[in-house]
Amino acid sequence: MKTWFFLFFAIFLLSCQADEENVNSIKLAHSLGVNHPVHEAMVHMADLVAKKSEGKLKIEIYPSSQLGSEKQSLELLQIGSLGMTKVSAAVMENFSPDLKVLGYPYIFKDDAHRFNIYDGEIGKELLSGSEQFWLKGLTYFDAGNRSFYTKDTPIDSPKDLEGLKLRVMQSPTAIEMVKNFGGSPTPISWAELYTSLQQGVVDGAENNLPSFYTSKHYEVCKYFSKNEHTSIPDILVIGTLTWNKLSEQEKDWLMEAVEEATLLQRKLWQDAEREALREIEKAGVQVSYPDKSLFEEKAKPMLQSLKEKNGHLYELIQEIKNAE
């Protein structure tokens, strides 16, 4: 009942904002703050769209979950009451099951390999998998590499994870991964994690450096281990109902802006990572660089299990790992 009330309210709010005459306006909502590299890139995208179209096409951005959660934004896209949103690839698994491959550990050689996959044929096919659910992926925004951080002990090898309760996303893949590493996975919402760390509900968590810094989890966790087990991107999504209403010229303006914003976002992300590393070290966080091969070895049973359960996904991972 609560969800439907929210959807009704959001639809009412959006419908009350009439577009100017002869101007096509796309509403974009997301859950990030205004200082996040993804938001900054989307602002740049909106400026480019307005410039390229001479004001005929506009993008209005609603940050910080003003119009609801990632899941609620996707629902609004599906019924055409919202135009675009940004969600984690993990959330999009529900609409494009093959995206699960991006949650498996150590499938990329390095950042260049990762971006080649995102921008190449494999990445494009993964983005198109949700169109049957009225959701069209437009691009991948970089969300870096995820690593472990803990309150009381450094993580130099998987053995150090034994007996530790570690917060993970509500993802079967993430849960299985932490179990294979030797830890005890504990799904907790991001909004509740700071308090859970303070109160000892969990001993640590895993995420990228900028998220660790901007969430201020470094105030509680004084150990950050750059084992970089997974790289789960964000995805810019447009509802197919909105996309199909655009003219071919408007689609061209939008996609040109998306491509430029994607390149900018990746640069901004690198800057954010450097800043986060600098600031957490200044705050007294001990940053370690463990041997990644130790974690990769522990993850191998996941792939073997996948080979038996889902041969298609297993082959897709092999294709990704073997790609240049």
Side-chain angles (χ1 to χ4, degrees):
M1 184 69 182
K2 184 177 180 181
T3 299
W4 284 110
F5 174 79
F6 165 80
L7 291 174
F8 175 80
F9 175 77
I11 293 169
F12 175 77
L13 174 65
L14 294 171
S15 64
C16 286
Q17 300 178 22
D19 298 333
E20 298 175 14
E21 188 176 359
N22 298 323
V23 173
N24 196 355
S25 182
I26 302 174
K27 296 174 175 63
L28 188 165
H30 66 84
S31 60
L32 302 171
V34 295
N35 295 320
H36 195 283
V38 169
H39 174 79
E40 293 178 7
M42 288 191 289
V43 169
H44 181 65
M45 175 182 69
D47 290 341
L48 286 173
V49 165
K51 182 178 180 180
K52 291 174 183 292
S53 68
E54 298 181 342
K56 296 182 180 69
L57 180 63
K58 294 184 178 181
I59 298 177
E60 302 173 26
I61 303 176
Y62 299 82
S64 305
S65 301
Q66 290 181 41
L67 298 181
S69 66
E70 290 191 340
K71 180 176 181 293
Q72 290 166 331
S73 292
L74 287 174
E75 290 171 348
L76 290 173
L77 257 66
Q78 288 177 307
I79 61 176
S81 295
L82 181 66
M84 299 171 68
T85 191
K86 186 287 309 173
V87 298
S88 169
V91 175
M92 284 294 288
E93 287 179 14
N94 295 320
F95 305 98
S96 183
D98 283 359
L99 281 168
K100 290 179 182 178
V101 299
L102 300 180
Y104 276 79
Y106 301 110
I107 63 172
F108 299 112
K109 302 181 184 75
D110 50 34
D111 288 345
H113 175 221
R114 183 158 56 91
F115 294 145
N116 285 339
I117 294 298
Y118 293 166
D119 300 336
E121 288 306 312
I122 295 176
K124 291 175 183 176
E125 287 181 17
L126 291 175
L127 286 180
S128 67
S130 59
E131 291 185 25
Q132 60 180 315
F133 298 103
W134 308 288
L135 301 169
K136 179 180 177 65
L138 296 179
T139 193
Y140 298 95
F141 286 136
D142 190 13
N145 302 299
R146 300 175 75 92
S147 296
F148 290 111
Y149 53 91
T150 48
K151 293 175 61 177
D152 303 317
T153 180
I155 306 300
D156 296 320
S157 73
K159 187 175 180 180
D160 297 325
L161 292 170
E162 293 178 4
L164 297 184
K165 293 175 292 182
L166 299 160
R167 180 268 177 181
V168 295
M169 295 182 290
Q170 191 69 265
S171 160
T173 308
I175 291 170
E176 183 183 3
M177 177 190 69
V178 171
K179 283 182 178 178
N180 275 267
F181 287 157
S184 177
T186 308
I188 294 175
S189 74
W190 181 249
E192 298 173 353
L193 181 51
Y194 188 99
T195 302
S196 296
L197 288 164
Q198 276 186 318
Q199 296 177 349
V201 176
V202 288
D203 303 300
E206 54 90 42
N207 214 316
N208 55 59
L209 264 171
S211 293
F212 176 63
Y213 172 55
T214 57
S215 64
K216 298 189 177 182
H217 290 174
Y218 65 88
E219 296 176 345
V220 185
C221 295
K222 293 303 180 181
Y223 298 94
F224 191 97
S225 170
K226 287 199 71 179
N227 69 308
E228 299 182 327
H229 44 264
T230 53
S231 307
I232 303 175
D234 286 330
I235 296 179
L236 182 65
V237 186
I238 188 169
T240 56
L241 292 175
T242 299
W243 175 260
N244 292 336
K245 289 178 182 178
L246 298 178
S247 68
E248 291 305 311
Q249 178 65 78
E250 289 172 330
K251 290 176 181 177
D252 288 342
W253 288 329
L254 176 59
M255 292 310 300
E256 288 171 7
V258 166
E259 290 176 11
E260 292 186 46
T262 299
L263 295 177
L264 173 64
Q265 188 274 333
R266 292 176 185 174
K267 179 182 181 301
L268 292 173
W269 185 266
Q270 291 178 342
D271 294 341
E273 285 191 330
R274 284 191 288 267
E275 178 190 11
L277 182 59
R278 181 174 64 249
E279 293 301 320
I280 64 172
E281 288 181 327
K282 281 168 55 177
V285 174
Q286 179 181 316
V287 180
S288 60
Y289 299 82
D291 183 350
K292 296 178 186 178
S293 67
L294 299 176
F295 293 87
E296 190 170 2
E297 186 67 27
K298 284 286 188 179
K300 285 183 178 178
M302 282 186 70
L303 286 181
Q304 187 58 40
S305 174
L306 182 65
K307 184 177 183 180
E308 298 168 0
K309 294 186 298 186
N310 191 325
H312 167 67
L313 284 187
Y314 176 82
E315 292 299 328
L316 183 55
I317 288 178
Q318 299 310 308
E319 186 179 354
I320 290 172
K321 294 178 75 170
N322 293 330
E324 296 297 326

